Amino acid sequence: MLLSILPQVLVDGLTLGFMYAVVALGYTMVYGILEFINFAHGEIFMVGAFVGTEVLLITDAIGGLEGMNPYVALLMTLVITMILTGALGVGIERLAYRPLRGAPRLVPLISAIGVSFLLQDIVRFAEAIARNEFYLNTPVLFTGTVSVFGIATIPIKGLVVIVLAIVLMIALTLFIGKTKWGIAMRAVAQDPSTASLMTINVDKVIMLTFLIGSSLGGATGVLFAQNYGTIDPYIGFILGMKAFTAAVLGGIGNLRGAMVGGVLLGMLESLAGAYMGPLTNQAFGAEYKDVFAFSILILVLLFKPEGLFGEAVKEKV
Amino acid sequence: MANLVWKSFKGIPLYVTLIWIAVFSLLLHFLDKSVLSFLGILSSIVLLYFTNTSNKIKLAIGALVLIVIIPLVAGENRYYMEVASQVGIYVAMALGLNIVVGFAGLLDLGYVAFFAAGAYAYAIFSTSQANEFIAGNLFPLTGDWFWPFLIVGLIVAAIFGILLGLPVLRVKGDYLAIVTLGFGEIIRIVFNNLDKPINITNGPQGITPIPAPELFGLKMGTPFYFYFIVLFVIAFIVLANIRFEHSRLGRAWIAVREDELAAQSMGISLLNTKLAAFATGASFAGVVGVIFAAKQTFIDPTSFTLMESIGILVMVILGGSGSIPGVILGAAFVTLLQVQLLKEFSNFLHSLQQSGIINLPNQLDPSKFQRLVFGIMLIFVALYRPNGLIPAKRKTNDLGAIKSSPFSSGKLGILSKLSQSSSTKQS
């Protein structure tokens, strides 16, 4: 019985893992350039989920969703959400982080925690005023399931998540690897002061990093809302923590690491959720799956702080 | 110009402070329900801090206000004493976190876990809950056990602090913040689910009824008594903070905060020093946790969320991390804001709503503004006042004074001795 659910558990884990991976990219990009944990990134994901849901709800209310191809609807939602959350990320950087560049390391982190709480309540207020409640149900775009080799089923919405996540990751990899701006970003990540001597506008590169990271986070929010149906203003915290765990697991600052770490963490969590209960005779069940993810974070930081793909950094005096 | 005025400002004259105290205590005495005058009395402590007089007089007046005047004029009003003891509880917690964040510079986002450890220690053993896993029907304990449990809570939380600290303190800076946050959540989830396989914490149902403290048969269940208990604990914690600040260990904490590598190369053991900070901060939270459990008579895991940890962090950072008067001010301000000002404001809005002037969705109730207020405070403090409202004073060694002192003959330290011995040889 335990083995028969394994393929299904893995497929679910894969969907979850790809979402972690895309959010983790946002953490890792910012960390790679500023060496700063953007605590508010999880909240940008949450805002993305709300913006996407609102776009769909409003389109539905004016009757636009009927007869529209679901893929077109999703694409439209994604584009609008990515633009808005990207702008939000840039705005946060400009107002709350940039003035603190060069301050002691904990000061921007404190500011980021503040931003994170602020965003949660702003979204809650906005929804409370607009809809008188802050739990939203997303209009379902995709129904039906696909069978995977006859041993597991994957809902089409899950498949959409995986495919879109892969597309976004490939696009990002190409952008960083091939374009002029991508090269500038890598240069700034390596050494900001030298990069600025090479006529790279460091401020612009940092803005671009926040733009891309935040729009990816927002896009994941849309996918999350599609996949789980119900959202509230507090979903960003726990998902953000897990995405951060994924980034650390893969080696923070490393894009490939974040992707692998995300998928790995999603799989592990799904496995833990399914098997911890039966294996411990229901003493420790699925309610401990968050504990499991946090424990992975702590273990990685203790024993392999550079992660799976990162380079160990020697501290310089 | 403004700077000049500020520099020549030596403090508020003593008589202003005394008049302030007198006016507001009389107001509170005669106008029974005047929140403003209650706040006025509490703020007189801040005024006192800035008063231009000697520390002994300040201490005497402060003690007079806290021990005599407040209980005298507000003691009959259950609500004021409740607010005052709640302020006290958070002041005590913030002072504990101040050791970790302010002195040792370790950003701990899971501080509430230690508070929970203390609270659960008393709650489990003072109710019949402990019978679930200890044979012999020995429990519940009576309220007399509250006093020894203050020490037990302290020890349990300190052990928690060391156990958590051992793995956690290997990482540093912003990683430490995330890891402590993770640990805080883990502990909450564990407490929430530890009703099986053995029922230790009774899970989400929580534990009740936790007995009130008793002393020689006197039941001390009202806020009036808790006010004094909390006051006593704060006095102890403040004293400990002051003593620690300038001790060998305290200076080691500050050295580690400023530069770990430099501190290490001066022979400070990083792990031991940090562990000491963690355990000390945790133990204070543990004591406060015991008081909290006894005061609430009911605890469940929802009292120990991340929001609480962040709230205490806001108090420390807003007040001025590392500054004892600052942290007290920050804690008092944030607590009053939460339990009094926002509530008053939301009552006011409700009354407007009832008379049909405005229409307020339930979610916009100001008493739910917590996250918004905390968020804005954190951002503003980080941007505009990173050292807090009352920044910590830095003890500086005046090089000129050392040089001109009779113990120094022009050169400092070992050099002065060398030059002395060489000059005696020559003569």
Side-chain angles (χ1 to χ4, degrees), chain A residues 39 100 105 110 114 117-118 120-121 124-125 128 132 134 244 252 287-288 301-302 315, chain B residues 167 172 174-175 178-179 181 193 196 307 317 361 363-364 368-369 371-372 375-376 382:
Chain A
F39 204 87
L100 296 173
R105 271 180 80 166
I110 286 164
F117 279 100
L118 194 62
Q120 287 177 359
D121 249 9
R124 189 168 63 86
F125 285 171
N132 216 3
F134 61 86
F244 177 76
I252 196 150
E287 64 271 18
Y288 283 99
L301 281 177
L302 290 182
E315 196 172 351
Chain B
K172 50 184 147 181
D174 27 16
Y175 280 124
I178 303 278
V179 173
L181 190 156
N193 291 301
K196 64 185 168 62
M307 271 315 286
I317 288 174
Q363 285 304 323
L364 287 190
K368 293 181 180 164
F369 278 11
R371 285 165 194 265
L372 185 83
I376 291 176

mmCIF file of all heavy atoms in Angstrom, chain A residues 39 100 105 110 114 117-118 120-121 124-125 128 132 134 244 252 287-288 301-302 315, chain B residues 167 172 174-175 178-179 181 193 196 307 317 361 363-364 368-369 371-372 375-376 382:
data_model
loop_
_atom_site.group_PDB
_atom_site.id
_atom_site.type_symbol
_atom_site.label_atom_id
_atom_site.label_comp_id
_atom_site.label_asym_id
_atom_site.label_seq_id
_atom_site.Cartn_x
_atom_site.Cartn_y
_atom_site.Cartn_z
ATOM 1 N N PHE A 39 13.789 39.260 2.789
ATOM 2 C CA PHE A 39 12.763 38.612 3.591
ATOM 3 C C PHE A 39 11.374 38.812 2.998
ATOM 4 O O PHE A 39 10.480 37.995 3.193
ATOM 5 C CB PHE A 39 12.817 39.209 4.995
ATOM 6 C CG PHE A 39 12.274 38.333 6.046
ATOM 7 C CD1 PHE A 39 13.090 37.409 6.665
ATOM 8 C CD2 PHE A 39 10.952 38.414 6.426
ATOM 9 C CE1 PHE A 39 12.593 36.582 7.640
ATOM 10 C CE2 PHE A 39 10.449 37.581 7.410
ATOM 11 C CZ PHE A 39 11.271 36.673 8.015
ATOM 12 N N LEU A 100 19.688 51.869 2.644
ATOM 13 C CA LEU A 100 20.415 51.165 3.697
ATOM 14 C C LEU A 100 21.641 50.439 3.176
ATOM 15 O O LEU A 100 22.268 49.679 3.909
ATOM 16 C CB LEU A 100 19.489 50.146 4.369
ATOM 17 C CG LEU A 100 18.306 50.767 5.093
ATOM 18 C CD1 LEU A 100 17.371 49.692 5.584
ATOM 19 C CD2 LEU A 100 18.803 51.597 6.253
ATOM 20 N N ARG A 105 24.803 44.822 8.379
ATOM 21 C CA ARG A 105 24.018 43.840 7.628
ATOM 22 C C ARG A 105 22.641 43.582 8.182
ATOM 23 O O ARG A 105 21.721 43.231 7.446
ATOM 24 C CB ARG A 105 24.787 42.523 7.571
ATOM 25 C CG ARG A 105 25.701 42.459 6.389
ATOM 26 C CD ARG A 105 26.435 41.165 6.367
ATOM 27 N NE ARG A 105 25.610 40.103 5.831
ATOM 28 C CZ ARG A 105 26.091 38.948 5.451
ATOM 29 N NH1 ARG A 105 27.377 38.717 5.548
ATOM 30 N NH2 ARG A 105 25.300 38.019 4.980
ATOM 31 N N ILE A 110 16.128 43.939 8.944
ATOM 32 C CA ILE A 110 15.035 44.419 9.787
ATOM 33 C C ILE A 110 14.027 45.178 8.936
ATOM 34 O O ILE A 110 12.808 45.001 9.063
ATOM 35 C CB ILE A 110 15.605 45.296 10.914
ATOM 36 C CG1 ILE A 110 16.292 44.402 11.940
ATOM 37 C CG2 ILE A 110 14.517 46.109 11.582
ATOM 38 C CD1 ILE A 110 17.192 45.125 12.871
ATOM 39 N N GLY A 114 10.060 44.328 8.130
ATOM 40 C CA GLY A 114 9.002 45.331 8.195
ATOM 41 C C GLY A 114 8.179 45.360 6.922
ATOM 42 O O GLY A 114 6.953 45.357 6.970
ATOM 43 N N PHE A 117 5.723 42.419 6.749
ATOM 44 C CA PHE A 117 4.500 42.562 7.537
ATOM 45 C C PHE A 117 3.570 43.615 6.952
ATOM 46 O O PHE A 117 2.351 43.449 6.936
ATOM 47 C CB PHE A 117 4.843 42.903 8.984
ATOM 48 C CG PHE A 117 5.227 41.701 9.766
ATOM 49 C CD1 PHE A 117 6.544 41.402 10.001
ATOM 50 C CD2 PHE A 117 4.261 40.846 10.230
ATOM 51 C CE1 PHE A 117 6.889 40.271 10.699
ATOM 52 C CE2 PHE A 117 4.594 39.712 10.937
ATOM 53 C CZ PHE A 117 5.928 39.420 11.171
ATOM 54 N N LEU A 118 4.175 44.690 6.476
ATOM 55 C CA LEU A 118 3.383 45.759 5.885
ATOM 56 C C LEU A 118 2.571 45.231 4.701
ATOM 57 O O LEU A 118 1.369 45.490 4.586
ATOM 58 C CB LEU A 118 4.336 46.861 5.430
ATOM 59 C CG LEU A 118 3.741 48.199 5.084
ATOM 60 C CD1 LEU A 118 3.066 48.782 6.312
ATOM 61 C CD2 LEU A 118 4.823 49.147 4.603
ATOM 62 N N GLN A 120 1.579 42.200 4.056
ATOM 63 C CA GLN A 120 0.506 41.304 4.472
ATOM 64 C C GLN A 120 -0.741 42.098 4.848
ATOM 65 O O GLN A 120 -1.853 41.768 4.435
ATOM 66 C CB GLN A 120 0.951 40.467 5.671
ATOM 67 C CG GLN A 120 1.952 39.400 5.312
ATOM 68 C CD GLN A 120 2.424 38.648 6.529
ATOM 69 O OE1 GLN A 120 2.026 38.929 7.651
ATOM 70 N NE2 GLN A 120 3.304 37.697 6.314
ATOM 71 N N ASP A 121 -0.516 43.165 5.641
ATOM 72 C CA ASP A 121 -1.687 43.902 6.096
ATOM 73 C C ASP A 121 -2.289 44.765 4.996
ATOM 74 O O ASP A 121 -3.498 44.940 4.948
ATOM 75 C CB ASP A 121 -1.335 44.749 7.316
ATOM 76 C CG ASP A 121 -2.008 44.203 8.566
ATOM 77 O OD1 ASP A 121 -2.570 43.102 8.478
ATOM 78 O OD2 ASP A 121 -1.982 44.864 9.607
ATOM 79 N N ARG A 124 -4.434 42.556 3.042
ATOM 80 C CA ARG A 124 -5.628 42.216 3.817
ATOM 81 C C ARG A 124 -6.614 43.391 3.811
ATOM 82 O O ARG A 124 -7.824 43.205 3.617
ATOM 83 C CB ARG A 124 -5.241 41.868 5.255
ATOM 84 C CG ARG A 124 -6.379 41.289 6.072
ATOM 85 C CD ARG A 124 -5.855 40.718 7.366
ATOM 86 N NE ARG A 124 -5.263 41.742 8.203
ATOM 87 C CZ ARG A 124 -5.961 42.495 9.062
ATOM 88 N NH1 ARG A 124 -7.247 42.325 9.182
ATOM 89 N NH2 ARG A 124 -5.354 43.405 9.785
ATOM 90 N N PHE A 125 -6.092 44.610 4.000
ATOM 91 C CA PHE A 125 -6.960 45.790 3.982
ATOM 92 C C PHE A 125 -7.644 45.947 2.635
ATOM 93 O O PHE A 125 -8.846 46.162 2.553
ATOM 94 C CB PHE A 125 -6.156 47.057 4.254
ATOM 95 C CG PHE A 125 -5.769 47.210 5.685
ATOM 96 C CD1 PHE A 125 -4.890 48.185 6.080
ATOM 97 C CD2 PHE A 125 -6.284 46.358 6.641
ATOM 98 C CE1 PHE A 125 -4.532 48.316 7.402
ATOM 99 C CE2 PHE A 125 -5.936 46.475 7.966
ATOM 100 C CZ PHE A 125 -5.051 47.468 8.341
ATOM 101 N N ALA A 128 -10.228 43.489 2.216
ATOM 102 C CA ALA A 128 -11.342 43.711 3.138
ATOM 103 C C ALA A 128 -12.236 44.828 2.630
ATOM 104 O O ALA A 128 -13.465 44.757 2.727
ATOM 105 C CB ALA A 128 -10.825 44.045 4.525
ATOM 106 N N ASN A 132 -14.737 42.560 1.361
ATOM 107 C CA ASN A 132 -15.212 42.287 2.706
ATOM 108 C C ASN A 132 -14.738 40.948 3.261
ATOM 109 O O ASN A 132 -15.277 40.430 4.244
ATOM 110 C CB ASN A 132 -16.739 42.351 2.755
ATOM 111 C CG ASN A 132 -17.195 42.936 4.067
ATOM 112 O OD1 ASN A 132 -16.359 43.330 4.896
ATOM 113 N ND2 ASN A 132 -18.488 42.998 4.274
ATOM 114 N N PHE A 134 -10.896 38.270 3.256
ATOM 115 C CA PHE A 134 -9.559 38.207 2.689
ATOM 116 C C PHE A 134 -9.146 36.805 2.262
ATOM 117 O O PHE A 134 -8.022 36.597 1.857
ATOM 118 C CB PHE A 134 -8.528 38.843 3.621
ATOM 119 C CG PHE A 134 -8.407 38.194 4.959
ATOM 120 C CD1 PHE A 134 -7.561 37.113 5.123
ATOM 121 C CD2 PHE A 134 -9.132 38.659 6.041
ATOM 122 C CE1 PHE A 134 -7.444 36.515 6.353
ATOM 123 C CE2 PHE A 134 -9.012 38.059 7.276
ATOM 124 C CZ PHE A 134 -8.164 36.981 7.433
ATOM 125 N N PHE A 244 13.272 29.760 0.473
ATOM 126 C CA PHE A 244 14.591 30.149 0.954
ATOM 127 C C PHE A 244 15.404 28.907 1.318
ATOM 128 O O PHE A 244 16.593 28.798 0.997
ATOM 129 C CB PHE A 244 14.453 31.067 2.167
ATOM 130 C CG PHE A 244 15.755 31.446 2.772
ATOM 131 C CD1 PHE A 244 16.557 32.388 2.155
ATOM 132 C CD2 PHE A 244 16.198 30.852 3.937
ATOM 133 C CE1 PHE A 244 17.782 32.719 2.695
ATOM 134 C CE2 PHE A 244 17.418 31.179 4.480
ATOM 135 C CZ PHE A 244 18.214 32.116 3.853
ATOM 136 N N ILE A 252 23.200 29.117 -1.948
ATOM 137 C CA ILE A 252 22.570 30.408 -2.209
ATOM 138 C C ILE A 252 23.474 31.248 -3.105
ATOM 139 O O ILE A 252 24.697 31.217 -2.990
ATOM 140 C CB ILE A 252 22.196 31.118 -0.895
ATOM 141 C CG1 ILE A 252 21.208 32.237 -1.168
ATOM 142 C CG2 ILE A 252 23.399 31.624 -0.154
ATOM 143 C CD1 ILE A 252 20.267 32.502 -0.043
ATOM 144 N N GLU A 287 1.343 16.639 9.983
ATOM 145 C CA GLU A 287 1.364 17.958 10.626
ATOM 146 C C GLU A 287 2.797 18.407 10.898
ATOM 147 O O GLU A 287 3.049 19.572 11.157
ATOM 148 C CB GLU A 287 0.536 17.950 11.917
ATOM 149 C CG GLU A 287 1.022 17.060 13.036
ATOM 150 C CD GLU A 287 0.453 15.653 12.961
ATOM 151 O OE1 GLU A 287 -0.030 15.265 11.878
ATOM 152 O OE2 GLU A 287 0.508 14.942 13.982
ATOM 153 N N TYR A 288 3.734 17.480 10.824
ATOM 154 C CA TYR A 288 5.123 17.840 11.054
ATOM 155 C C TYR A 288 5.879 18.156 9.768
ATOM 156 O O TYR A 288 7.086 18.255 9.769
ATOM 157 C CB TYR A 288 5.845 16.716 11.801
ATOM 158 C CG TYR A 288 5.527 16.670 13.276
ATOM 159 C CD1 TYR A 288 4.602 15.781 13.780
ATOM 160 C CD2 TYR A 288 6.150 17.536 14.163
ATOM 161 C CE1 TYR A 288 4.294 15.744 15.128
ATOM 162 C CE2 TYR A 288 5.848 17.508 15.511
ATOM 163 C CZ TYR A 288 4.930 16.611 15.985
ATOM 164 O OH TYR A 288 4.630 16.594 17.322
ATOM 165 N N LEU A 301 22.469 24.268 6.768
ATOM 166 C CA LEU A 301 23.288 25.391 7.223
ATOM 167 C C LEU A 301 24.387 24.924 8.165
ATOM 168 O O LEU A 301 25.470 25.496 8.209
ATOM 169 C CB LEU A 301 22.417 26.425 7.921
ATOM 170 C CG LEU A 301 21.642 27.340 6.990
ATOM 171 C CD1 LEU A 301 20.758 28.278 7.772
ATOM 172 C CD2 LEU A 301 22.599 28.137 6.107
ATOM 173 N N LEU A 302 24.108 23.870 8.924
ATOM 174 C CA LEU A 302 25.110 23.415 9.878
ATOM 175 C C LEU A 302 26.214 22.621 9.205
ATOM 176 O O LEU A 302 27.389 22.816 9.488
ATOM 177 C CB LEU A 302 24.458 22.543 10.949
ATOM 178 C CG LEU A 302 23.557 23.285 11.910
ATOM 179 C CD1 LEU A 302 23.009 22.338 12.950
ATOM 180 C CD2 LEU A 302 24.342 24.390 12.586
ATOM 181 N N GLU A 315 36.263 33.273 4.908
ATOM 182 C CA GLU A 315 36.071 34.616 5.429
ATOM 183 C C GLU A 315 37.368 35.400 5.342
ATOM 184 O O GLU A 315 38.437 34.907 5.692
ATOM 185 C CB GLU A 315 35.607 34.543 6.876
ATOM 186 C CG GLU A 315 35.025 35.832 7.345
ATOM 187 C CD GLU A 315 34.395 35.673 8.720
ATOM 188 O OE1 GLU A 315 34.279 34.535 9.184
ATOM 189 O OE2 GLU A 315 34.042 36.678 9.296
ATOM 190 N N PRO B 167 23.462 24.048 18.081
ATOM 191 C CA PRO B 167 23.549 23.964 16.621
ATOM 192 C C PRO B 167 23.415 25.329 15.934
ATOM 193 O O PRO B 167 24.134 25.631 14.986
ATOM 194 C CB PRO B 167 22.371 23.065 16.252
ATOM 195 C CG PRO B 167 21.418 23.193 17.358
ATOM 196 C CD PRO B 167 22.232 23.423 18.580
ATOM 197 N N LYS B 172 25.804 32.532 11.246
ATOM 198 C CA LYS B 172 25.808 33.883 11.796
ATOM 199 C C LYS B 172 25.033 34.856 10.931
ATOM 200 O O LYS B 172 24.577 34.522 9.843
ATOM 201 C CB LYS B 172 27.235 34.365 11.991
ATOM 202 C CG LYS B 172 28.127 34.193 10.800
ATOM 203 C CD LYS B 172 29.528 34.633 11.193
ATOM 204 C CE LYS B 172 30.573 33.844 10.491
ATOM 205 N NZ LYS B 172 31.902 34.180 10.809
ATOM 206 N N ASP B 174 22.549 37.126 9.102
ATOM 207 C CA ASP B 174 21.166 36.985 8.662
ATOM 208 C C ASP B 174 20.735 35.518 8.604
ATOM 209 O O ASP B 174 19.566 35.221 8.766
ATOM 210 C CB ASP B 174 20.935 37.673 7.315
ATOM 211 C CG ASP B 174 22.190 37.750 6.491
ATOM 212 O OD1 ASP B 174 23.146 37.021 6.825
ATOM 213 O OD2 ASP B 174 22.227 38.508 5.514
ATOM 214 N N TYR B 175 21.689 34.607 8.427
ATOM 215 C CA TYR B 175 21.326 33.192 8.482
ATOM 216 C C TYR B 175 20.813 32.828 9.852
ATOM 217 O O TYR B 175 19.859 32.063 10.002
ATOM 218 C CB TYR B 175 22.537 32.311 8.171
ATOM 219 C CG TYR B 175 22.827 32.184 6.709
ATOM 220 C CD1 TYR B 175 24.065 32.514 6.194
ATOM 221 C CD2 TYR B 175 21.868 31.708 5.848
ATOM 222 C CE1 TYR B 175 24.341 32.391 4.860
ATOM 223 C CE2 TYR B 175 22.120 31.580 4.511
ATOM 224 C CZ TYR B 175 23.361 31.919 4.020
ATOM 225 O OH TYR B 175 23.624 31.797 2.705
ATOM 226 N N ILE B 178 17.212 33.628 10.221
ATOM 227 C CA ILE B 178 16.299 32.677 9.578
ATOM 228 C C ILE B 178 16.238 31.365 10.358
ATOM 229 O O ILE B 178 15.164 30.785 10.541
ATOM 230 C CB ILE B 178 16.754 32.399 8.134
ATOM 231 C CG1 ILE B 178 16.825 33.697 7.352
ATOM 232 C CG2 ILE B 178 15.859 31.407 7.457
ATOM 233 C CD1 ILE B 178 15.546 34.183 6.808
ATOM 234 N N VAL B 179 17.398 30.913 10.840
ATOM 235 C CA VAL B 179 17.404 29.633 11.543
ATOM 236 C C VAL B 179 16.649 29.734 12.869
ATOM 237 O O VAL B 179 15.871 28.840 13.217
ATOM 238 C CB VAL B 179 18.857 29.162 11.777
ATOM 239 C CG1 VAL B 179 18.872 27.944 12.650
ATOM 240 C CG2 VAL B 179 19.504 28.848 10.459
ATOM 241 N N LEU B 181 14.250 31.747 13.463
ATOM 242 C CA LEU B 181 12.846 31.813 13.066
ATOM 243 C C LEU B 181 12.306 30.402 12.835
ATOM 244 O O LEU B 181 11.229 30.042 13.305
ATOM 245 C CB LEU B 181 12.740 32.644 11.790
ATOM 246 C CG LEU B 181 11.387 33.073 11.272
ATOM 247 C CD1 LEU B 181 11.557 34.290 10.416
ATOM 248 C CD2 LEU B 181 10.734 31.987 10.470
ATOM 249 N N ASN B 193 1.368 19.867 18.536
ATOM 250 C CA ASN B 193 1.051 18.487 18.153
ATOM 251 C C ASN B 193 1.471 17.460 19.180
ATOM 252 O O ASN B 193 1.360 16.267 18.938
ATOM 253 C CB ASN B 193 1.721 18.149 16.818
ATOM 254 C CG ASN B 193 1.078 18.918 15.690
ATOM 255 O OD1 ASN B 193 -0.104 18.785 15.458
ATOM 256 N ND2 ASN B 193 1.856 19.750 15.031
ATOM 257 N N LYS B 196 -0.039 13.704 21.115
ATOM 258 C CA LYS B 196 0.160 12.303 20.800
ATOM 259 C C LYS B 196 1.580 12.114 20.339
ATOM 260 O O LYS B 196 2.154 13.065 19.827
ATOM 261 C CB LYS B 196 -0.836 11.838 19.726
ATOM 262 C CG LYS B 196 -0.623 12.542 18.398
ATOM 263 C CD LYS B 196 -1.682 12.159 17.418
ATOM 264 C CE LYS B 196 -1.658 13.049 16.214
ATOM 265 N NZ LYS B 196 -0.484 13.053 15.398
ATOM 266 N N MET B 307 4.543 36.283 15.457
ATOM 267 C CA MET B 307 4.171 37.672 15.705
ATOM 268 C C MET B 307 4.676 38.156 17.052
ATOM 269 O O MET B 307 5.100 39.296 17.207
ATOM 270 C CB MET B 307 2.644 37.813 15.675
ATOM 271 C CG MET B 307 2.039 38.095 14.347
ATOM 272 S SD MET B 307 2.901 39.336 13.424
ATOM 273 C CE MET B 307 2.409 40.784 14.321
ATOM 274 N N ILE B 317 14.276 47.085 19.092
ATOM 275 C CA ILE B 317 14.892 47.897 18.044
ATOM 276 C C ILE B 317 14.360 49.318 18.065
ATOM 277 O O ILE B 317 15.111 50.277 17.890
ATOM 278 C CB ILE B 317 14.686 47.215 16.688
ATOM 279 C CG1 ILE B 317 15.595 45.997 16.646
ATOM 280 C CG2 ILE B 317 15.005 48.145 15.541
ATOM 281 C CD1 ILE B 317 15.423 45.145 15.464
ATOM 282 N N PRO B 361 -15.716 47.701 7.588
ATOM 283 C CA PRO B 361 -15.636 46.247 7.487
ATOM 284 C C PRO B 361 -14.890 45.688 8.692
ATOM 285 O O PRO B 361 -13.973 46.334 9.216
ATOM 286 C CB PRO B 361 -14.835 46.011 6.206
ATOM 287 C CG PRO B 361 -14.766 47.321 5.513
ATOM 288 C CD PRO B 361 -14.969 48.370 6.526
ATOM 289 N N GLN B 363 -12.672 43.566 9.017
ATOM 290 C CA GLN B 363 -11.237 43.374 8.866
ATOM 291 C C GLN B 363 -10.450 44.657 9.084
ATOM 292 O O GLN B 363 -9.252 44.636 9.291
ATOM 293 C CB GLN B 363 -10.923 42.835 7.469
ATOM 294 C CG GLN B 363 -11.276 41.381 7.313
ATOM 295 C CD GLN B 363 -10.601 40.548 8.351
ATOM 296 O OE1 GLN B 363 -9.471 40.800 8.721
ATOM 297 N NE2 GLN B 363 -11.308 39.555 8.853
ATOM 298 N N LEU B 364 -11.136 45.810 9.012
ATOM 299 C CA LEU B 364 -10.405 47.068 9.158
ATOM 300 C C LEU B 364 -10.372 47.545 10.598
ATOM 301 O O LEU B 364 -9.925 48.638 10.894
ATOM 302 C CB LEU B 364 -11.036 48.149 8.276
ATOM 303 C CG LEU B 364 -10.767 47.965 6.787
ATOM 304 C CD1 LEU B 364 -11.205 49.184 6.023
ATOM 305 C CD2 LEU B 364 -9.294 47.720 6.545
ATOM 306 N N LYS B 368 -6.727 45.133 14.814
ATOM 307 C CA LYS B 368 -6.040 44.130 13.994
ATOM 308 C C LYS B 368 -4.928 44.751 13.167
ATOM 309 O O LYS B 368 -4.422 44.128 12.237
ATOM 310 C CB LYS B 368 -7.038 43.441 13.066
ATOM 311 C CG LYS B 368 -8.030 42.602 13.817
ATOM 312 C CD LYS B 368 -8.990 41.919 12.866
ATOM 313 C CE LYS B 368 -9.977 41.068 13.648
ATOM 314 N NZ LYS B 368 -11.130 40.705 12.846
ATOM 315 N N PHE B 369 -4.546 45.972 13.515
ATOM 316 C CA PHE B 369 -3.514 46.670 12.743
ATOM 317 C C PHE B 369 -2.099 46.229 13.084
ATOM 318 O O PHE B 369 -1.153 46.814 12.577
ATOM 319 C CB PHE B 369 -3.591 48.180 13.009
ATOM 320 C CG PHE B 369 -4.633 48.890 12.213
ATOM 321 C CD1 PHE B 369 -5.582 48.187 11.506
ATOM 322 C CD2 PHE B 369 -4.668 50.271 12.164
ATOM 323 C CE1 PHE B 369 -6.558 48.835 10.785
ATOM 324 C CE2 PHE B 369 -5.636 50.936 11.442
ATOM 325 C CZ PHE B 369 -6.580 50.217 10.753
ATOM 326 N N ARG B 371 0.194 44.006 12.457
ATOM 327 C CA ARG B 371 1.254 43.787 11.475
ATOM 328 C C ARG B 371 1.637 45.077 10.781
ATOM 329 O O ARG B 371 2.806 45.378 10.575
ATOM 330 C CB ARG B 371 0.811 42.771 10.425
ATOM 331 C CG ARG B 371 0.818 41.375 10.938
ATOM 332 C CD ARG B 371 0.054 40.458 10.017
ATOM 333 N NE ARG B 371 -0.202 39.208 10.686
ATOM 334 C CZ ARG B 371 0.565 38.146 10.551
ATOM 335 N NH1 ARG B 371 1.595 38.173 9.765
ATOM 336 N NH2 ARG B 371 0.295 37.044 11.205
ATOM 337 N N LEU B 372 0.609 45.855 10.417
ATOM 338 C CA LEU B 372 0.848 47.130 9.745
ATOM 339 C C LEU B 372 1.720 48.029 10.617
ATOM 340 O O LEU B 372 2.741 48.565 10.172
ATOM 341 C CB LEU B 372 -0.492 47.804 9.465
ATOM 342 C CG LEU B 372 -0.426 49.088 8.667
ATOM 343 C CD1 LEU B 372 -0.346 48.752 7.201
ATOM 344 C CD2 LEU B 372 -1.624 49.964 8.935
ATOM 345 N N GLY B 375 5.197 46.647 11.002
ATOM 346 C CA GLY B 375 5.931 46.784 9.747
ATOM 347 C C GLY B 375 6.429 48.199 9.551
ATOM 348 O O GLY B 375 7.613 48.428 9.286
ATOM 349 N N ILE B 376 5.530 49.165 9.717
ATOM 350 C CA ILE B 376 5.924 50.558 9.517
ATOM 351 C C ILE B 376 7.012 50.948 10.518
ATOM 352 O O ILE B 376 8.005 51.592 10.169
ATOM 353 C CB ILE B 376 4.687 51.475 9.668
ATOM 354 C CG1 ILE B 376 3.748 51.237 8.491
ATOM 355 C CG2 ILE B 376 5.100 52.932 9.713
ATOM 356 C CD1 ILE B 376 2.463 52.000 8.574
ATOM 357 N N ALA B 382 14.594 51.379 10.902
ATOM 358 C CA ALA B 382 15.763 50.978 10.108
ATOM 359 C C ALA B 382 16.259 52.139 9.245
ATOM 360 O O ALA B 382 17.455 52.375 9.123
ATOM 361 C CB ALA B 382 15.429 49.773 9.232
#
